[in-house]
Amino acid sequence: MHHSKWILLTIIIACQLIVVLDASIMITAVPEIGRTLHMSTTSLTWVHNSYILAFGGFLLLGARTGDLWGRRKTLSAGIGLFSLTSLLAGLAPTAEFLLVSRACQGLAAALATPAALALLSASFVEAKERTRAIAMYSAVSAAGGSIGLILGGFFTDFISWRVGMFINVPIGIVLLYLVQRFVQNTEPRTGRFDLWGALTSVMGMTSLVYGLVQAAEGGWERTAAWIPLAAGIILLAAFVLIEARAAEPIVPLRLFTSRHRSGAYLGRFLIVSGNFSLFFFVPQYLQSVLGFSSFEAGLAFLPFTGAQFGMMYLIQGLVHRFGTIKVLTAGLLLASLGTLWLSKIILAQAPFFPHMFILLAMMGIGSGMVFQPLTALGLTDVDARDAGAASGLINVAHQSGSSFGLAVLITVFEAAVGSDQPSTLQLAEALSSSVLGSVVFIILALAAVLLCSLPSRRPARTQAPKKQISGIL
């Protein structure tokens, strides 16, 4: 790989790392943020959700912006806005100010991320280089969440949770310089922004998550839960209709004509729904039941992170030898078994070492076998005109999955805990139930991947998918 390509890949990976880190860097700081800004446990979920919903909701519009404005211009705008809003979030004097700043961070990330991934797709076309680049990108995307837990815990215990936001500013300034120096801009295209499509997708997902959080807080019988849930379903249905009729949709429905791509998007959504929720619930167990500090709770994810990064160096050989579907199946089975066992360990209130240590490493290996193949399948045989939309969909599935999964499983937690001041046993039982819910999401991800990889019953259509994805499956 040429020197200039290494620099370009470093820019892309660094950009992806800071936006993924910011999805989790606040989690180990949640108790301290609650005390500092006087936020309840339920309202604290919005520290994560306000960022993720704006990120996932506007990603498709961000991908379209990159196509129309040019990717360098869009990437620069996203990084600059991300740095500014990170500074504002770190300075937040109130809960409301923090949540608005986090939502603006999400919007900035939605501009930068698809532009970066589209640059990767367009710049690394040779098979070996492309596979290596996607593996590194996927490893950072998957492991960034656990790295954020460690950094967030360190800053919270030894400096301040606000530093987790401030560090984005100097990183952003360096990235802006490198983008202007080494990234060539694509030619802007004439076209339209599918604003209605973007708004209905953002409002639909936000309504769904808001309804689930309301159900967790006050029960399913509340109209405050059912009305936003119904509105979310209607808005998402309207989004599909808009995309089907729009002259220039942010999500061309032709991207779903490939069952392998469709399975990759759905599988990613489901695995992240289960996987990311662990980053929220396991630190609660470590801090509230085992008495870990914020930093110690973050460090506890080192076996997960280390195993996941280690798989980055093995995944290419595994896919080459066994094929994408077999590697995906093995990884999802390993992740689901490890998560199931973890729920039993939490219920028993077992010590961290060796039980949880081994399980987190096992789950990290499983996750490390999943994300690179899913990314490759999601970009398989995508036309150049749809590169931005396809990269946007990959990230939409990732970010929306984390928000949706947490919203669903927080309702499981609240239903199981049954008290405003639970005992240690009640808390462990509720956390165990939530982790068990993660297993369900991971198993559904496995089912989605397997169903979408089955050969067609029609002989005329059996050969086309195999030809389209030759060299990947």
Side-chain angles (χ1 to χ4, degrees):
M1 193 181 292
H2 296 302
H3 177 69
S4 59
K5 283 195 172 183
W6 271 116
I7 296 176
L8 179 60
L9 183 58
T10 300
I11 293 169
I12 293 169
I13 288 176
C15 179
Q16 180 68 4
L17 180 60
I18 61 172
V19 299
V20 172
L21 280 177
D22 272 50
S24 63
I25 201 166
M26 294 289 212
I27 289 179
T28 42
V30 156
E32 183 61 26
I33 294 172
R35 285 189 291 269
T36 303
L37 301 179
H38 311 292
M39 300 175 71
S40 67
T41 301
T42 303
S43 64
L44 282 168
T45 62
W46 288 103
V47 174
H48 167 74
N49 283 334
S50 59
Y51 175 76
I52 289 299
L53 286 170
F55 189 0
F58 284 110
L59 264 169
L60 299 172
L61 190 64
R64 181 65 175 157
T65 303
D67 290 337
L68 297 182
W69 283 6
R71 287 166 193 158
R72 186 177 70 180
K73 186 186 296 184
T74 304
L75 184 59
S76 297
I79 293 171
L81 183 59
F82 191 85
S83 301
L84 174 61
T85 52
S86 295
L87 177 64
L88 295 175
L91 295 172
T94 65
E96 293 78 11
F97 193 98
L98 174 63
L99 298 184
V100 171
S101 299
R102 289 282 284 167
C104 292
Q105 266 190 302
L107 173 60
L111 290 172
T113 302
L117 185 53
L119 281 171
L120 183 151
S121 181
S123 303
F124 298 88
V125 292
E126 192 271 323
K128 188 174 181 180
E129 285 186 349
R130 184 181 178 86
T131 301
R132 185 183 303 173
I134 289 176
M136 295 177 69
Y137 179 92
S138 300
V140 167
S141 298
S146 49
I147 295 172
L149 293 176
I150 296 170
L151 288 176
F154 175 81
F155 292 139
T156 300
D157 275 356
F158 297 105
I159 311 175
S160 168
W161 63 266
R162 298 177 185 276
V163 178
M165 296 290 96
F166 292 149
I167 60 170
N168 291 326
V169 179
I171 295 174
I173 291 171
V174 172
L175 281 176
L176 279 174
Y177 168 76
L178 292 175
V179 167
Q180 296 302 315
R181 177 73 174 80
F182 294 102
V183 176
Q184 292 185 347
N185 197 24
T186 54
E187 287 295 324
R189 288 164 40 189
T190 57
R192 301 176 182 175
F193 285 103
D194 182 13
L195 186 59
W196 285 111
L199 289 176
T200 50
S201 65
V202 173
M203 293 169 64
M205 277 303 301
T206 302
S207 294
L208 278 181
V209 171
Y210 181 77
L212 289 168
V213 171
Q214 288 297 308
E217 190 174 37
W220 287 100
E221 66 279 1
R222 297 181 63 191
T223 56
W226 285 108
I227 290 176
L229 284 172
I233 294 170
I234 293 170
L235 285 165
L236 291 175
F239 167 70
V240 175
L241 291 175
I242 290 169
E243 297 310 283
R245 298 179 181 182
E248 298 182 43
I250 54 174
V251 181
L253 297 185
R254 58 182 172 266
L255 286 173
F256 296 97
T257 55
S258 165
R259 288 193 301 157
H260 293 89
R261 284 200 302 266
S262 299
Y265 301 142
L266 179 58
R268 195 181 198 96
F269 176 86
L270 291 169
I271 182 65
V272 176
S273 292
N275 224 23
F276 189 86
S277 300
L278 298 173
F279 295 160
F280 185 85
F281 292 112
V282 172
Q284 307 305 313
Y285 169 74
L286 294 173
Q287 292 179 73
S288 301
V289 178
L290 297 188
F292 280 34
S293 68
S294 297
F295 183 45
E296 289 170 337
L299 284 177
F301 277 84
L302 275 177
F304 185 97
T305 307
Q308 205 167 41
F309 266 117
M311 289 307 300
M312 179 181 72
Y313 298 98
L314 302 176
I315 190 66
Q316 185 176 349
L318 290 174
V319 170
H320 180 74
R321 181 173 180 180
F322 298 106
T324 296
I325 300 301
K326 288 182 180 179
V327 172
L328 271 174
T329 301
L332 289 167
L333 283 173
L334 198 60
S336 61
L337 288 173
T339 308
L340 177 62
W341 193 358
L342 180 65
S343 71
K344 305 301 181 185
I345 293 296
I346 290 176
L347 184 61
Q349 300 181 49
F352 174 77
F353 192 86
H355 306 86
M356 289 187 69
F357 183 95
I358 294 172
L359 288 179
L360 287 170
M362 175 180 173
M363 291 155 62
I365 293 171
S367 294
M369 296 171 67
V370 166
F371 288 103
Q372 187 271 344
L374 286 177
T375 301
L377 284 177
L379 295 173
T380 298
D381 290 323
V382 173
D383 292 339
R385 59 177 174 161
D386 293 331
S391 64
L393 268 177
I394 289 172
N395 283 287
V396 165
H398 202 102
Q399 303 306 327
S400 299
S402 68
S403 184
F404 180 78
L406 180 57
V408 169
L409 295 181
I410 201 71
T411 65
V412 175
F413 173 81
E414 292 291 344
V417 76
S419 173
D420 291 334
Q421 294 182 328
S423 65
T424 301
L425 177 59
Q426 287 175 314
L427 188 59
E429 289 174 346
L431 290 168
S432 175
S433 297
S434 302
V435 172
L436 195 59
S438 293
V439 179
V440 176
F441 275 117
I442 298 171
I443 291 174
L444 288 173
L446 175 60
V449 168
L450 291 177
L451 287 174
C452 291
S453 66
L454 291 176
S456 173
R457 293 182 180 180
R458 300 184 190 182
R461 294 186 179 181
T462 302
Q463 299 302 320
K466 291 183 180 180
K467 185 176 179 181
Q468 283 180 339
I469 55 176
S470 60
I472 294 179
L473 288 182

